[in-house]
Amino acid sequence: MKSFSITRAMCIVAVAAGLSASAAALAADPRPSFTPPSAASLPDTEFGKIVRQGEQIFLHTPQMAEKFVGNNLNCVSCHLDAGRRPDSAPMWAAYVLYPAYRAKNEHVNTLAERLQGCFRFSMNGKAPAADDPTLIALQSYMFWLASKAPTGVVLEGQGYRKLPPPAQKADYVRGSEVYGQYCAVCHGAQGEGQKNGKHWVFPALWGADSFNWGAGMHQIGNAAGFIKANMPLGQAGMLSDQEAWDVAYFMNAHERPQDPRYTESVAATRAKYHDSDDSLYGIEVNGHLLGSDSPPAGGRLIQAAAKPAG
């Protein structure tokens, strides 16, 4: 009887260990993988024509959606490889998760509303109407990229990589050193970006021509995850987690266009929209209160509207 009890106990322990191992395996890799269709497989149909328009808007946003863009960023500036690359907020992984509740605006967002926010914040511009051809083309492109993907499922590579907290608190000085060594050659010593003639090759990371304080990339965690997984371009993974956190802090410790939701003061705007350790808006860095000297939201759209007629 004693031998039976011992054997049964051993079996229970073995089963429990097996279940724990299975749970650990699921926890380590719970997301299904997906590969979007290649550009060469785009159908030569009327639908395919709109998908191609969406792709071109995605790649050349200021030129293709001029009346909605206030800076010189393209969608592809933050969603690499034409929105295909995993851990770069790929479009195929985003499409399958909408409609969705967003804490940012505290209600369920359609995909169109989510894209409107991109124009307003990341592109420092204004939102197209939900039925505007620009949004229809972009949504068609996203739908095509997500062809045959499971819906309502978080896919492997969705969003930006989530890094563990840094071993040391993110630091401006260390970040400036990382930036000077790895980033300035493409993005400029002052984060101003780089262009070839009239064509922008590398986006501005701060200043008047960058994303504004309402964009998701101003959050240090998003920036660190993006940098770790994708930068330096062509050498992804070169930086340590600590270096990614430090350089993300450095990048986001500079002024950029004002949050378009700005209320009566920087303090009030921080309290309402940025009350998090992940945001430097309204925080003093090197003696400067970030947000207090931001260029107006809207960029060149505001400048064009302010010009006298004639």
Side-chain angles (χ1 to χ4, degrees), residues 182-240:
Y182 297 108
C183 315
V185 65
C186 293
H187 296 285
Q190 302 303 317
E192 71 275 17
Q194 187 178 157
K195 60 183 179 179
N196 181 11
K198 293 184 178 181
H199 175 67
W200 284 86
V201 181
F202 300 106
L205 301 181
W206 64 82
D209 204 37
S210 188
F211 52 88
N212 66 42
W213 279 112
M217 194 61 80
H218 101 278
Q219 296 174 312
I220 302 170
N222 281 343
F226 174 82
I227 290 165
K228 172 67 178 181
N230 300 290
M231 296 291 135
L233 195 63
Q235 303 177 73
M238 171 184 286
L239 301 182
S240 68

Short mmCIF file of all heavy atoms in Angstrom, two decimals, residues 182-240:
data_model
loop_
_atom_site.label_atom_id
_atom_site.label_comp_id
_atom_site.label_asym_id
_atom_site.label_seq_id
_atom_site.Cartn_x
_atom_site.Cartn_y
_atom_site.Cartn_z
N TYR A 182 26.11 55.78 -32.88
CA TYR A 182 25.34 54.91 -33.76
C TYR A 182 24.23 55.58 -34.57
O TYR A 182 23.80 55.02 -35.57
CB TYR A 182 24.70 53.78 -32.93
CG TYR A 182 25.68 52.87 -32.26
CD1 TYR A 182 25.87 52.91 -30.88
CD2 TYR A 182 26.44 51.96 -32.99
CE1 TYR A 182 26.76 52.06 -30.24
CE2 TYR A 182 27.35 51.11 -32.38
CZ TYR A 182 27.51 51.17 -31.01
OH TYR A 182 28.40 50.33 -30.39
N CYS A 183 23.75 56.73 -34.13
CA CYS A 183 22.52 57.29 -34.71
C CYS A 183 22.73 58.57 -35.52
O CYS A 183 22.02 58.81 -36.49
CB CYS A 183 21.49 57.57 -33.61
SG CYS A 183 21.30 56.24 -32.40
N ALA A 184 23.67 59.40 -35.07
CA ALA A 184 23.83 60.73 -35.66
C ALA A 184 24.19 60.68 -37.14
O ALA A 184 23.81 61.57 -37.91
CB ALA A 184 24.88 61.52 -34.90
N VAL A 185 24.89 59.63 -37.57
CA VAL A 185 25.31 59.55 -38.97
C VAL A 185 24.11 59.54 -39.91
O VAL A 185 24.19 60.06 -41.04
CB VAL A 185 26.20 58.30 -39.19
CG1 VAL A 185 25.42 57.02 -38.96
CG2 VAL A 185 26.82 58.32 -40.58
N CYS A 186 22.98 58.99 -39.46
CA CYS A 186 21.77 58.96 -40.29
C CYS A 186 20.79 60.07 -39.92
O CYS A 186 20.22 60.71 -40.80
CB CYS A 186 21.06 57.61 -40.16
SG CYS A 186 21.97 56.21 -40.87
N HIS A 187 20.58 60.28 -38.63
CA HIS A 187 19.53 61.18 -38.18
C HIS A 187 20.02 62.59 -37.87
O HIS A 187 19.21 63.46 -37.51
CB HIS A 187 18.83 60.60 -36.95
CG HIS A 187 18.11 59.32 -37.24
ND1 HIS A 187 16.92 59.28 -37.93
CD2 HIS A 187 18.42 58.03 -36.96
CE1 HIS A 187 16.52 58.03 -38.05
NE2 HIS A 187 17.42 57.25 -37.48
N GLY A 188 21.33 62.85 -38.01
CA GLY A 188 21.87 64.18 -37.80
C GLY A 188 22.25 64.43 -36.35
O GLY A 188 21.64 63.90 -35.42
N ALA A 189 23.25 65.27 -36.16
CA ALA A 189 23.76 65.57 -34.82
C ALA A 189 22.69 66.21 -33.95
O ALA A 189 22.69 66.04 -32.73
CB ALA A 189 24.98 66.48 -34.92
N GLN A 190 21.76 66.94 -34.56
CA GLN A 190 20.69 67.61 -33.82
C GLN A 190 19.34 66.92 -34.02
O GLN A 190 18.30 67.54 -33.82
CB GLN A 190 20.60 69.08 -34.26
CG GLN A 190 21.88 69.86 -34.07
CD GLN A 190 22.35 69.84 -32.63
OE1 GLN A 190 21.55 69.99 -31.70
NE2 GLN A 190 23.66 69.68 -32.43
N GLY A 191 19.36 65.68 -34.43
CA GLY A 191 18.13 64.93 -34.62
C GLY A 191 17.26 65.43 -35.75
O GLY A 191 16.06 65.14 -35.80
N GLU A 192 17.86 66.18 -36.68
CA GLU A 192 17.09 66.86 -37.73
C GLU A 192 16.75 65.98 -38.91
O GLU A 192 16.01 66.38 -39.82
CB GLU A 192 17.86 68.09 -38.22
CG GLU A 192 19.11 67.80 -39.04
CD GLU A 192 20.37 67.55 -38.23
OE1 GLU A 192 20.25 67.27 -37.02
OE2 GLU A 192 21.48 67.61 -38.80
N GLY A 193 17.28 64.76 -38.96
CA GLY A 193 17.03 63.89 -40.09
C GLY A 193 17.94 64.20 -41.26
O GLY A 193 18.80 65.09 -41.18
N GLN A 194 17.76 63.49 -42.34
CA GLN A 194 18.63 63.65 -43.50
C GLN A 194 17.83 63.42 -44.77
O GLN A 194 16.99 62.52 -44.83
CB GLN A 194 19.78 62.65 -43.41
CG GLN A 194 20.85 62.83 -44.46
CD GLN A 194 21.99 61.83 -44.29
OE1 GLN A 194 22.70 61.56 -45.26
NE2 GLN A 194 22.18 61.28 -43.10
N LYS A 195 18.08 64.24 -45.76
CA LYS A 195 17.39 64.05 -47.04
C LYS A 195 18.37 64.08 -48.19
O LYS A 195 19.49 64.61 -48.09
CB LYS A 195 16.31 65.11 -47.22
CG LYS A 195 16.77 66.55 -47.24
CD LYS A 195 15.56 67.48 -47.37
CE LYS A 195 15.99 68.94 -47.35
NZ LYS A 195 14.82 69.84 -47.51
N ASN A 196 17.94 63.51 -49.29
CA ASN A 196 18.70 63.50 -50.53
C ASN A 196 17.93 64.37 -51.52
O ASN A 196 16.92 63.97 -52.07
CB ASN A 196 18.85 62.07 -51.06
CG ASN A 196 19.65 62.00 -52.34
OD1 ASN A 196 20.27 62.98 -52.76
ND2 ASN A 196 19.62 60.85 -52.99
N GLY A 197 18.42 65.60 -51.72
CA GLY A 197 17.66 66.56 -52.50
C GLY A 197 16.39 66.92 -51.75
O GLY A 197 16.42 67.35 -50.60
N LYS A 198 15.23 66.69 -52.39
CA LYS A 198 13.95 66.96 -51.74
C LYS A 198 13.37 65.72 -51.05
O LYS A 198 12.35 65.81 -50.38
CB LYS A 198 12.95 67.50 -52.77
CG LYS A 198 13.31 68.87 -53.32
CD LYS A 198 12.22 69.38 -54.26
CE LYS A 198 12.56 70.78 -54.78
NZ LYS A 198 11.49 71.30 -55.68
N HIS A 199 14.04 64.59 -51.24
CA HIS A 199 13.51 63.34 -50.71
C HIS A 199 14.13 63.03 -49.35
O HIS A 199 15.35 62.96 -49.21
CB HIS A 199 13.80 62.19 -51.68
CG HIS A 199 13.40 60.85 -51.16
ND1 HIS A 199 12.09 60.50 -50.95
CD2 HIS A 199 14.15 59.77 -50.80
CE1 HIS A 199 12.03 59.27 -50.48
NE2 HIS A 199 13.27 58.80 -50.38
N TRP A 200 13.29 62.85 -48.33
CA TRP A 200 13.77 62.54 -46.99
C TRP A 200 14.14 61.06 -46.91
O TRP A 200 13.34 60.18 -47.23
CB TRP A 200 12.72 62.89 -45.94
CG TRP A 200 12.67 64.37 -45.70
CD1 TRP A 200 11.96 65.29 -46.41
CD2 TRP A 200 13.40 65.09 -44.72
NE1 TRP A 200 12.19 66.56 -45.92
CE2 TRP A 200 13.08 66.46 -44.88
CE3 TRP A 200 14.29 64.73 -43.70
CZ2 TRP A 200 13.61 67.47 -44.07
CZ3 TRP A 200 14.83 65.72 -42.90
CH2 TRP A 200 14.50 67.07 -43.09
N VAL A 201 15.36 60.80 -46.47
CA VAL A 201 15.87 59.45 -46.37
C VAL A 201 15.75 58.93 -44.94
O VAL A 201 15.34 57.80 -44.72
CB VAL A 201 17.34 59.38 -46.84
CG1 VAL A 201 17.86 57.95 -46.75
CG2 VAL A 201 17.49 59.92 -48.25
N PHE A 202 16.12 59.77 -43.97
CA PHE A 202 16.04 59.40 -42.56
C PHE A 202 15.24 60.46 -41.81
O PHE A 202 15.48 61.66 -41.98
CB PHE A 202 17.44 59.27 -41.95
CG PHE A 202 18.28 58.23 -42.62
CD1 PHE A 202 19.33 58.59 -43.47
CD2 PHE A 202 18.02 56.88 -42.44
CE1 PHE A 202 20.11 57.63 -44.10
CE2 PHE A 202 18.79 55.91 -43.07
CZ PHE A 202 19.83 56.29 -43.90
N PRO A 203 14.28 60.05 -40.99
CA PRO A 203 13.38 61.02 -40.36
C PRO A 203 14.02 61.81 -39.24
O PRO A 203 14.99 61.37 -38.59
CB PRO A 203 12.27 60.11 -39.79
CG PRO A 203 12.95 58.81 -39.53
CD PRO A 203 13.95 58.65 -40.64
N ALA A 204 13.47 63.00 -39.00
CA ALA A 204 13.85 63.79 -37.83
C ALA A 204 13.35 63.09 -36.58
O ALA A 204 12.23 62.57 -36.55
CB ALA A 204 13.26 65.19 -37.93
N LEU A 205 14.16 63.10 -35.54
CA LEU A 205 13.80 62.43 -34.29
C LEU A 205 13.30 63.39 -33.22
O LEU A 205 12.70 62.96 -32.24
CB LEU A 205 15.00 61.63 -33.76
CG LEU A 205 15.54 60.55 -34.70
CD1 LEU A 205 16.70 59.82 -34.04
CD2 LEU A 205 14.44 59.57 -35.10
N TRP A 206 13.61 64.64 -33.38
CA TRP A 206 13.05 65.68 -32.53
C TRP A 206 13.08 66.99 -33.29
O TRP A 206 13.50 67.04 -34.43
CB TRP A 206 13.79 65.78 -31.18
CG TRP A 206 15.24 66.18 -31.22
CD1 TRP A 206 15.75 67.45 -31.29
CD2 TRP A 206 16.37 65.30 -31.15
NE1 TRP A 206 17.12 67.41 -31.28
CE2 TRP A 206 17.53 66.12 -31.17
CE3 TRP A 206 16.53 63.91 -31.05
CZ2 TRP A 206 18.82 65.59 -31.12
CZ3 TRP A 206 17.82 63.39 -30.99
CH2 TRP A 206 18.94 64.22 -31.03
N GLY A 207 12.57 68.05 -32.70
CA GLY A 207 12.49 69.33 -33.38
C GLY A 207 11.19 69.51 -34.13
O GLY A 207 10.29 68.66 -34.07
N ALA A 208 11.09 70.60 -34.85
CA ALA A 208 9.83 71.02 -35.48
C ALA A 208 9.34 70.04 -36.53
O ALA A 208 8.14 70.01 -36.83
CB ALA A 208 10.01 72.40 -36.09
N ASP A 209 10.23 69.25 -37.11
CA ASP A 209 9.82 68.38 -38.22
C ASP A 209 9.63 66.92 -37.79
O ASP A 209 9.56 66.03 -38.62
CB ASP A 209 10.85 68.44 -39.34
CG ASP A 209 10.24 68.07 -40.69
OD1 ASP A 209 9.07 68.42 -40.94
OD2 ASP A 209 10.93 67.40 -41.49
N SER A 210 9.55 66.69 -36.48
CA SER A 210 9.38 65.33 -35.99
C SER A 210 7.94 65.07 -35.57
O SER A 210 7.06 65.90 -35.77
CB SER A 210 10.33 65.09 -34.80
OG SER A 210 10.32 63.73 -34.41
N PHE A 211 7.69 63.90 -35.00
CA PHE A 211 6.38 63.58 -34.44
C PHE A 211 6.13 64.46 -33.22
O PHE A 211 7.08 64.97 -32.59
CB PHE A 211 6.30 62.09 -34.06
CG PHE A 211 7.43 61.59 -33.19
CD1 PHE A 211 7.34 61.67 -31.81
CD2 PHE A 211 8.57 61.03 -33.75
CE1 PHE A 211 8.36 61.20 -30.99
CE2 PHE A 211 9.60 60.56 -32.94
CZ PHE A 211 9.50 60.64 -31.57
N ASN A 212 4.87 64.69 -32.89
CA ASN A 212 4.58 65.59 -31.77
C ASN A 212 4.47 64.83 -30.45
O ASN A 212 4.59 63.62 -30.39
CB ASN A 212 3.37 66.49 -32.06
CG ASN A 212 2.06 65.72 -32.17
OD1 ASN A 212 1.76 64.82 -31.40
ND2 ASN A 212 1.24 66.12 -33.16
N TRP A 213 4.23 65.58 -29.38
CA TRP A 213 4.22 65.02 -28.03
C TRP A 213 3.04 64.06 -27.79
O TRP A 213 3.00 63.37 -26.77
CB TRP A 213 4.19 66.12 -26.98
CG TRP A 213 5.51 66.75 -26.69
CD1 TRP A 213 5.89 68.04 -26.99
CD2 TRP A 213 6.63 66.15 -26.02
NE1 TRP A 213 7.18 68.27 -26.55
CE2 TRP A 213 7.66 67.12 -25.95
CE3 TRP A 213 6.87 64.89 -25.49
CZ2 TRP A 213 8.89 66.88 -25.36
CZ3 TRP A 213 8.11 64.64 -24.89
CH2 TRP A 213 9.10 65.63 -24.83
N GLY A 214 2.11 63.97 -28.72
CA GLY A 214 1.01 63.03 -28.56
C GLY A 214 1.27 61.68 -29.19
O GLY A 214 0.51 60.75 -28.99
N ALA A 215 2.36 61.55 -29.96
CA ALA A 215 2.65 60.31 -30.68
C ALA A 215 3.15 59.23 -29.74
O ALA A 215 3.83 59.50 -28.75
CB ALA A 215 3.69 60.57 -31.77
N GLY A 216 2.85 57.99 -30.08
CA GLY A 216 3.28 56.87 -29.26
C GLY A 216 4.78 56.74 -29.13
O GLY A 216 5.29 56.25 -28.13
N MET A 217 5.53 57.19 -30.14
CA MET A 217 6.98 57.06 -30.11
C MET A 217 7.62 57.98 -29.09
O MET A 217 8.80 57.82 -28.75
CB MET A 217 7.57 57.29 -31.50
CG MET A 217 9.02 56.85 -31.67
SD MET A 217 9.31 55.08 -31.39
CE MET A 217 8.80 54.42 -32.98
N HIS A 218 6.87 58.96 -28.56
CA HIS A 218 7.45 59.81 -27.52
C HIS A 218 7.54 59.07 -26.19
O HIS A 218 8.23 59.51 -25.27
CB HIS A 218 6.65 61.11 -27.35
CG HIS A 218 5.73 61.09 -26.17
ND1 HIS A 218 4.49 60.50 -26.20
CD2 HIS A 218 5.89 61.56 -24.91
CE1 HIS A 218 3.92 60.62 -25.00
NE2 HIS A 218 4.74 61.25 -24.21
N GLN A 219 6.86 57.94 -26.08
CA GLN A 219 6.94 57.13 -24.87
C GLN A 219 8.26 56.36 -24.89
O GLN A 219 8.60 55.70 -25.86
CB GLN A 219 5.76 56.19 -24.78
CG GLN A 219 4.42 56.93 -24.64
CD GLN A 219 3.24 55.99 -24.71
OE1 GLN A 219 3.16 55.15 -25.61
NE2 GLN A 219 2.32 56.14 -23.78
N ILE A 220 8.99 56.44 -23.80
CA ILE A 220 10.34 55.89 -23.77
C ILE A 220 10.33 54.39 -24.02
O ILE A 220 11.19 53.86 -24.73
CB ILE A 220 11.02 56.22 -22.43
CG1 ILE A 220 11.07 57.73 -22.23
CG2 ILE A 220 12.45 55.66 -22.40
CD1 ILE A 220 11.51 58.15 -20.84
N GLY A 221 9.36 53.67 -23.47
CA GLY A 221 9.30 52.23 -23.67
C GLY A 221 9.10 51.85 -25.12
O GLY A 221 9.75 50.91 -25.62
N ASN A 222 8.20 52.53 -25.82
CA ASN A 222 8.00 52.26 -27.25
C ASN A 222 9.27 52.53 -28.04
O ASN A 222 9.67 51.73 -28.90
CB ASN A 222 6.87 53.12 -27.80
CG ASN A 222 5.49 52.60 -27.45
OD1 ASN A 222 5.33 51.45 -27.08
ND2 ASN A 222 4.48 53.44 -27.57
N ALA A 223 9.89 53.67 -27.76
CA ALA A 223 11.10 54.03 -28.50
C ALA A 223 12.23 53.04 -28.23
O ALA A 223 12.93 52.62 -29.16
CB ALA A 223 11.53 55.45 -28.12
N ALA A 224 12.38 52.64 -26.98
CA ALA A 224 13.45 51.69 -26.63
C ALA A 224 13.23 50.34 -27.33
O ALA A 224 14.17 49.74 -27.86
CB ALA A 224 13.52 51.50 -25.13
N GLY A 225 11.98 49.86 -27.32
CA GLY A 225 11.68 48.59 -27.97
C GLY A 225 11.91 48.65 -29.47
O GLY A 225 12.45 47.70 -30.07
N PHE A 226 11.51 49.74 -30.10
CA PHE A 226 11.72 49.91 -31.53
C PHE A 226 13.21 49.96 -31.85
O PHE A 226 13.69 49.29 -32.78
CB PHE A 226 11.05 51.20 -32.01
CG PHE A 226 11.34 51.54 -33.45
CD1 PHE A 226 10.62 50.96 -34.46
CD2 PHE A 226 12.34 52.45 -33.78
CE1 PHE A 226 10.89 51.27 -35.80
CE2 PHE A 226 12.61 52.76 -35.09
CZ PHE A 226 11.89 52.17 -36.11
N ILE A 227 13.95 50.72 -31.07
CA ILE A 227 15.39 50.87 -31.31
C ILE A 227 16.10 49.54 -31.15
O ILE A 227 16.93 49.15 -31.97
CB ILE A 227 15.97 51.94 -30.37
CG1 ILE A 227 15.46 53.34 -30.77
CG2 ILE A 227 17.49 51.91 -30.38
CD1 ILE A 227 15.67 54.40 -29.72
N LYS A 228 15.80 48.82 -30.08
CA LYS A 228 16.46 47.54 -29.82
C LYS A 228 16.23 46.56 -30.97
O LYS A 228 17.16 45.86 -31.40
CB LYS A 228 15.93 46.95 -28.51
CG LYS A 228 16.39 45.53 -28.22
CD LYS A 228 17.88 45.46 -27.94
CE LYS A 228 18.29 44.02 -27.61
NZ LYS A 228 19.73 43.92 -27.31
N ALA A 229 15.01 46.50 -31.47
CA ALA A 229 14.67 45.50 -32.49
C ALA A 229 15.07 45.91 -33.90
O ALA A 229 15.21 45.03 -34.76
CB ALA A 229 13.17 45.23 -32.45
N ASN A 230 15.30 47.20 -34.13
CA ASN A 230 15.44 47.66 -35.52
C ASN A 230 16.64 48.54 -35.82
O ASN A 230 16.95 48.75 -37.00
CB ASN A 230 14.17 48.43 -35.92
CG ASN A 230 12.93 47.59 -35.84
OD1 ASN A 230 12.74 46.67 -36.63
ND2 ASN A 230 12.07 47.87 -34.86
N MET A 231 17.30 49.07 -34.81
CA MET A 231 18.36 50.04 -35.04
C MET A 231 19.68 49.57 -34.43
O MET A 231 19.68 48.84 -33.45
CB MET A 231 17.96 51.39 -34.42
CG MET A 231 16.74 52.02 -35.07
SD MET A 231 17.10 52.59 -36.75
CE MET A 231 15.66 52.00 -37.63
N PRO A 232 20.81 50.05 -35.01
CA PRO A 232 20.94 50.84 -36.23
C PRO A 232 20.42 50.08 -37.45
O PRO A 232 20.46 48.84 -37.46
CB PRO A 232 22.45 51.09 -36.35
CG PRO A 232 22.99 50.85 -34.98
CD PRO A 232 22.12 49.79 -34.38
N LEU A 233 19.94 50.80 -38.41
CA LEU A 233 19.33 50.19 -39.58
C LEU A 233 20.31 49.23 -40.25
O LEU A 233 21.45 49.60 -40.54
CB LEU A 233 18.90 51.28 -40.57
CG LEU A 233 17.93 50.85 -41.68
CD1 LEU A 233 16.61 50.40 -41.06
CD2 LEU A 233 17.69 52.00 -42.65
N GLY A 234 19.88 48.00 -40.45
CA GLY A 234 20.74 46.99 -41.04
C GLY A 234 21.62 46.28 -40.03
O GLY A 234 22.33 45.33 -40.38
N GLN A 235 21.59 46.73 -38.77
CA GLN A 235 22.40 46.11 -37.72
C GLN A 235 21.55 45.90 -36.47
O GLN A 235 22.01 46.12 -35.35
CB GLN A 235 23.61 46.98 -37.39
CG GLN A 235 24.50 47.27 -38.60
CD GLN A 235 25.66 48.19 -38.24
OE1 GLN A 235 26.62 47.79 -37.57
NE2 GLN A 235 25.58 49.43 -38.67
N ALA A 236 20.32 45.50 -36.67
CA ALA A 236 19.38 45.34 -35.56
C ALA A 236 19.93 44.39 -34.51
O ALA A 236 20.55 43.37 -34.83
CB ALA A 236 18.05 44.81 -36.09
N GLY A 237 19.72 44.74 -33.24
CA GLY A 237 20.18 43.91 -32.14
C GLY A 237 21.58 44.23 -31.68
O GLY A 237 22.06 43.64 -30.70
N MET A 238 22.26 45.16 -32.33
CA MET A 238 23.62 45.52 -31.94
C MET A 238 23.66 46.15 -30.55
O MET A 238 24.57 45.89 -29.76
CB MET A 238 24.23 46.48 -32.97
CG MET A 238 25.57 47.08 -32.52
SD MET A 238 26.21 48.29 -33.69
CE MET A 238 26.78 47.20 -35.00
N LEU A 239 22.67 46.98 -30.25
CA LEU A 239 22.66 47.69 -28.98
C LEU A 239 22.19 46.78 -27.85
O LEU A 239 21.32 45.92 -28.05
CB LEU A 239 21.75 48.91 -29.05
CG LEU A 239 22.07 49.97 -30.12
CD1 LEU A 239 21.09 51.13 -30.02
CD2 LEU A 239 23.50 50.47 -29.99
N SER A 240 22.74 46.97 -26.68
CA SER A 240 22.24 46.27 -25.50
C SER A 240 20.91 46.88 -25.09
O SER A 240 20.54 47.98 -25.53
CB SER A 240 23.24 46.40 -24.35
OG SER A 240 23.30 47.74 -23.89
#
